[in-house]
Amino acid sequence: MATEERPIGFWLKLVDQLVDEQFGASFEEHGLTRRQWQMMNLLTNGPATGPELSDQLRPFFPPVETGTSAELIDELVDSGWVAVRDGQYSLTELGTRSLENLRGAVERIRDQLTEEVSEEEYTALVSVLKRMAGNLGWSETPERPAQDTPGM
């Protein structure tokens, strides 16, 4: 399936980098990282432990990323956006309001990303990428469930 155009790896990495840059710039204005935003989104489903948050976000972040999950969640606790009780993290009222305030910025980025892309094209793209991931060994198992983690 070789073409004379740039290979899929080029486009995957480029789009990933551009999405990271857009989200990074937007979230930086609010004093948090994309990963922290995703942690907060996961907590909208209910309390979770640190390892549960790390496991659910692992596909989004390489192991060499600066800052551990514990450091990132501790910053959210220090900010008053997340509370910890009996080893479980949960959103505070302030965290819930802050997350809601960020939704507009997230929607603008998502709209920009999918401009001139039909719903059918987007669905097909996600389906193809999922199959490619499966071809390379990824699977939806109880240990590693597929989920619609917010944050692209």
Side-chain angles (χ1 to χ4, degrees):
M1 287 206 145
T3 66
E4 292 189 28
E5 293 185 28
R6 291 184 168 141
I8 190 169
F10 170 84
W11 294 112
L12 290 172
K13 289 187 179 290
L14 178 62
V15 170
D16 184 56
Q17 175 187 344
L18 293 171
V19 167
D20 277 346
E21 288 173 6
Q22 290 289 318
F23 277 102
S26 181
F27 293 146
E28 189 175 303
E29 293 176 14
H30 298 279
L32 78 156
T33 67
R34 183 176 178 201
R35 189 168 192 176
Q36 287 171 318
W37 172 78
Q38 287 178 310
M39 286 177 170
M40 291 173 66
N41 266 298
L42 289 171
L43 292 174
T44 63
N45 297 324
T49 65
E52 288 170 339
L53 291 173
S54 294
D55 287 346
Q56 291 180 45
L57 294 171
R58 187 167 290 124
F60 291 95
F61 300 94
V64 295
E65 181 182 292
T66 305
T68 66
S69 293
E71 291 169 339
L72 295 174
I73 195 77
D74 286 346
E75 289 175 8
L76 292 173
V77 170
D78 290 344
S79 73
W81 292 1
V82 170
V84 61
R85 183 176 180 166
D86 298 327
Q88 297 271 322
Y89 294 95
S90 60
L91 282 177
T92 63
E93 192 173 311
L94 176 61
T96 301
R97 282 194 316 268
S98 299
L99 190 57
E100 189 58 38
N101 290 337
L102 289 169
R103 290 198 195 284
V106 170
E107 288 304 315
R108 282 190 296 280
I109 294 168
R110 287 179 176 165
D111 288 346
Q112 180 183 5
L113 177 68
T114 58
E115 190 174 318
E116 297 184 34
V117 176
S118 72
E119 189 172 328
E120 294 79 19
E121 289 173 313
Y122 183 85
T123 300
L125 175 62
V126 171
S127 176
V128 168
L129 291 172
K130 183 178 177 181
R131 282 181 285 166
M132 288 178 154
N135 292 343
L136 296 172
W138 180 82
S139 66
E140 296 183 55
T141 63
E143 298 83 40
R144 187 169 55 182
Q147 47 189 82
D148 296 326
T149 304
M152 301 206 175

